[in-house]
Amino acid sequence: MQLRDSIKKALKDNNALLVAHYYVSADLQILAEETGGVVSDSLEMARFGQNCDADTIVVAGVKFMGETAKILSPEKRVLVLDEAATCSLDLSCPIDEFSLFCDAHPDHTVVVYANTSAAVKARADWVVTSGSALKVVKSLHEEGKKILWAPDKHLGHYVGAETGADMLMWDGSCVVHEAFKAEGLERLMQKLPDAAVLVHPESPKEVVALADVVGSTTALINAVATMDNDTFIVATDNGIFHKMREVAPGKKLIEAPTMGEGADCESCAHCDWMAMNSLEKCLSVLETGNNEITIDEEVIDKAKSSIHRLLEFTQ
Ligand code: 13P
Ligand code: SF4
């Protein structure tokens, strides 16, 4: 209790707000909401950070979420809880290689997922999130544009299949969602025929094909809250269960299988980088000012316009 009280005081003293993703621990999510911050998907995290009037934004999530907050609010101080908390998608897409890929295809509109570095966002025409990718690409496709897509090939495949857009694909993936296995999921579905299957689109296409609902973290939480089913099989990071239990306390939530039969870990979808966030680190960054996000001004200016396009489009 003392730790939580100390963080609350430090947030107040710094005129700071805590912005948390659904995948971080329940104690951080609860604290964010209790102190006027927010718990949300990556799109709403970005929007909240931009619209709030705090001097400091403390981001409980991964590095790209802190960078997005800084790009949208360069005048604010943005702190992340652990500088080493990154994302396999971000790591898979280094700016130099990505820039060469873009240079080789100048006739394509460059659309990148939010899970990328500030420099990659600065090289893009559009930034999208899982909650907005379908609509943005559909609209670009209707304008006759060819798309260069990075970095998540699974999300890219899903968006391409749904929209029919002409998409050149970067070869990146999320290590957490890629572990979901269609075979194991099918077996579970046979045992639980009345369960609804909820899948984040970073999952492989064979898993997406089995879904009743495919969507962003927010869309999956809304599905649990609004669908009539009593049981849900959920293929995304298990940090999301905290919010799902809160919005639908009576419902049965089951993790989709990852490693499959005979493996040590049947259901263990949790992002190691998200797990690096903790209450202790939250207090520490507020007290020391460590882990401040800094980004080159030129990069901020370029990245800002591609994120603004998204925010205006999804308004
Ligand atoms: P959402 O935008 O759906 O919250 O996804 C972010 C993420 O990192 C999923 O792995
Ligand atoms: Fe990145 Fe996957 Fe972790 Fe999300 S769950 S932050 S996409 S590695």
Side-chain angles (χ1 to χ4, degrees):
M1 205 57 199
Q2 206 185 347
L3 176 59
R4 295 164 51 77
D5 289 342
S6 304
I7 300 171
K8 285 182 182 175
K9 181 174 180 314
L11 285 168
K12 218 177 231 167
D13 291 349
N14 285 280
N15 189 24
L17 284 175
L18 180 58
V19 177
H21 190 264
Y22 293 123
Y23 294 166
V24 299
S25 59
D27 51 11
L28 279 164
Q29 295 189 40
I30 292 166
L31 189 71
E33 286 180 339
E34 277 179 3
T35 51
V38 76
V39 183
S40 68
D41 64 7
S42 52
L43 176 61
E44 288 313 313
M45 283 174 84
R47 210 192 296 279
F48 182 89
Q50 185 189 33
N51 295 340
C52 73
D53 63 2
D55 295 323
T56 297
I57 305 170
V58 182
V59 175
V62 293
K63 188 174 159 205
F64 78 81
M65 294 169 176
E67 288 188 340
T68 302
K70 184 69 187 174
I71 292 163
L72 289 172
S73 310
E75 73 293 350
K76 291 176 187 152
R77 183 172 68 141
V78 176
L79 306 174
V80 290
L81 303 195
D82 193 319
E83 283 179 314
T86 182
C87 166
S88 62
L89 288 166
D90 187 348
L91 293 174
S92 78
C93 194
I95 181 59
D96 293 348
E97 272 175 58
F98 180 64
S99 230
L100 290 174
F101 186 50
C102 297
D103 291 346
H105 303 284
D107 54 337
H108 283 63
T109 300
V110 178
V111 181
V112 303
Y113 194 29
N115 303 34
T116 46
S117 66
V120 165
K121 289 184 176 76
R123 185 68 180 75
D125 300 306
W126 283 84
V127 172
V128 296
T129 60
S130 61
S132 56
L134 262 185
K135 282 191 196 129
V136 170
V137 171
K138 184 170 180 286
S139 147
L140 293 171
H141 176 53
E142 282 166 3
E143 287 169 29
K145 304 241 165 78
K146 289 193 279 187
I147 314 268
L148 185 155
W149 170 271
D152 188 354
K153 62 180 174 190
H154 297 303
L155 178 60
H157 179 276
Y158 169 68
V159 169
E162 291 291 309
T163 61
D166 178 342
M167 290 169 79
L168 257 181
M169 223 71 88
W170 189 262
D171 186 17
S173 59
C174 160
V175 288
V176 178
H177 289 86
E178 196 162 55
F180 289 116
K181 298 282 184 287
E183 258 184 45
L185 179 54
E186 269 178 321
R187 274 198 297 275
L188 191 56
M189 289 165 71
Q190 277 158 16
K191 281 190 216 158
L192 301 166
D194 297 329
V197 178
L198 312 181
V199 175
H200 195 281
E202 290 171 10
S203 309
K205 62 176 185 297
E206 298 78 10
V207 174
V208 169
L210 297 171
D212 295 302
V213 177
V214 182
S216 71
T217 47
T218 298
L220 302 186
I221 290 164
N222 289 342
V224 170
T226 56
M227 287 173 74
D228 290 335
N229 306 61
D230 292 324
T231 307
F232 293 84
I233 303 172
V234 182
T236 193
D237 183 291
N238 60 27
I240 203 170
F241 280 47
H242 166 68
K243 184 52 82 182
M244 285 183 167
R245 284 191 197 104
E246 205 176 83
V247 299
K251 303 212 174 159
K252 193 167 176 199
L253 306 172
I254 296 169
E255 293 183 46
T258 47
M259 306 292 263
E261 225 170 3
D264 292 344
C265 180
E266 191 42 52
S267 300
C268 50
H270 190 44
C271 177
D272 286 343
W273 293 299
M274 289 284 184
M276 291 166 90
N277 291 272
S278 68
L279 287 178
E280 287 77 8
K281 289 178 189 172
C282 185
L283 181 60
S284 166
V285 297
L286 279 161
E287 284 181 346
T288 60
N290 285 347
N291 300 355
E292 180 171 355
I293 298 277
T294 54
I295 305 171
D296 193 78
E297 254 178 59
E298 207 182 313
V299 172
I300 288 191
D301 284 345
K302 288 187 187 153
K304 200 186 255 181
S305 63
S306 49
I307 305 177
H308 272 160
R309 264 193 203 124
L310 168 69
L311 294 180
E312 275 160 28
F313 185 89
T314 53
Q315 201 71 53

